[in-house]
Amino acid sequence: MSAAADIPRRRGSLVVFGVFTLAAFVTFIALGTWQLERKAWKEALIVTLDERLAARPSALPTRERWASLDPAADEFRRVSLRAEFLPVREGRVYTGGSGLRDDMTGPGYCALDPARVADGGMVVVNRGYVANAHPAASLRPIALPEGTVEIVGVLRWPEAPGAFVTAHSEREDLWFVRDQLAMATAYGWGIVAPFYIDQEAPMPAGGVPRPGPLKANLRNEHLQYALTWYGLAAVLAIAFAMWIRSRRRELR
């Protein structure tokens, strides 16, 4: 094949390679822009959490208002309530640490128990953290406080399991998402509030489980990620320009 006849084939390969390069460039720019959007969202979330977690606790809404509460507007609000824990099966949620509590640094579980409030409604309370690398179904439940308890805590809504995370291990009787509604069904707790309470106080006499205040300590590295994607787009554009320049010389 002559050099002249080979020119159309080379130009065709140049066009195909250019299309793929443009697609990759647009993808990198889109990913960088998405990271900037995530950065703005994360910063707004941190501000919201700081404001809500620093506010004085207000009285827990009455049972009639529970269905109208909105996670977007009410989650992480501090509340106070008087409640009596029920002597029923305890729910345990495995944790390897928390971005909202500095004192949860190792594997263990959170103990969740239902409690009856004054108007007859029932809320589930995350009583706190228990350090235990291998929580098993054979563990004895932690003793409950007797009588009515003054609780200060934070409103939370149930988590959804991820695509590769099972919600509950029946063999170990251990949960991997905080879903008090599923626990209530599994353990026969009855009808519970659509939210649960992350307890801050009081601290139990023996210190176990260990409640504690939440703190917005979320990682925000989206700017670095955005710069990485934009940098890849710039490197790709420069490399493609240099390749085009060399190809043109060959075609001439």
Side-chain angles (χ1 to χ4, degrees):
M1 181 181 296
S2 66
D6 191 44
I7 289 177
R9 184 180 64 82
R10 291 188 179 185
R11 286 178 174 170
S13 64
L14 187 151
V15 171
V16 172
F17 187 68
V19 169
F20 279 107
T21 302
L22 178 62
F25 178 82
V26 170
T27 300
F28 291 158
I29 293 296
L31 288 171
T33 302
W34 177 68
Q35 287 294 340
L36 290 180
E37 293 172 352
R38 292 284 294 175
K39 175 178 177 291
W41 169 83
K42 181 67 70 66
E43 290 173 345
L45 175 62
I46 292 172
V47 169
T48 298
L49 291 181
D50 284 339
E51 291 176 350
R52 293 181 184 178
L53 295 176
R56 294 176 61 86
S58 58
L60 179 73
T62 59
R63 180 170 50 167
E64 290 74 19
R65 292 183 53 202
W66 289 355
S68 64
L69 295 179
D70 178 15
D74 297 303
E75 189 161 25
F76 295 104
R77 293 196 182 279
R78 300 180 70 224
V79 295
S80 61
L81 62 147
R82 291 172 55 86
E84 183 176 0
F85 286 99
L86 305 182
V88 294
R89 192 169 175 179
E90 175 184 76
R92 302 187 182 105
V93 182
Y94 178 83
T95 178
S98 173
L100 293 172
R101 280 186 58 176
D102 295 334
D103 60 331
M104 292 172 55
T105 57
Y109 67 90
C110 294
L112 277 71
D113 290 278
R116 186 80 65 185
V117 295
D119 63 5
M122 189 154 57
V123 299
V124 175
V125 180
N126 173 15
R127 297 171 58 210
Y129 168 70
V130 181
N132 189 323
H134 304 288
S138 59
L139 288 175
R140 295 181 61 185
I142 300 171
L144 295 168
E146 296 182 359
T148 302
V149 183
E150 294 272 0
I151 298 173
V152 174
V154 176
L155 293 179
R156 302 292 305 277
W157 264 258
E159 301 170 324
F164 303 102
V165 177
T166 182
H168 180 232
S169 168
E170 293 186 5
R171 184 172 65 88
E172 301 295 342
D173 192 20
L174 190 65
W175 297 80
F176 296 95
V177 293
R178 298 185 185 189
D179 186 347
Q180 83 284 0
L181 301 177
M183 291 181 190
T185 299
Y187 297 150
W189 289 347
I191 299 175
V192 299
F195 53 83
Y196 66 93
I197 306 291
D198 258 340
Q199 182 175 327
E200 295 181 2
M203 180 69 69
V208 179
R210 186 170 73 240
L214 303 186
K215 179 182 178 181
N217 191 24
L218 305 179
R219 296 176 61 184
N220 186 9
E221 300 177 350
H222 297 291
L223 179 59
Q224 294 92 309
Y225 298 151
L227 293 176
T228 298
W229 288 118
Y230 287 146
L232 289 173
V235 170
L236 180 64
I238 293 171
F240 183 71
M242 295 176 65
W243 183 81
I244 287 290
R245 184 177 179 183
S246 65
R247 283 305 223 182
R248 285 179 174 176
R249 288 177 180 175
E250 292 179 8
L251 292 175
R252 289 173 185 171

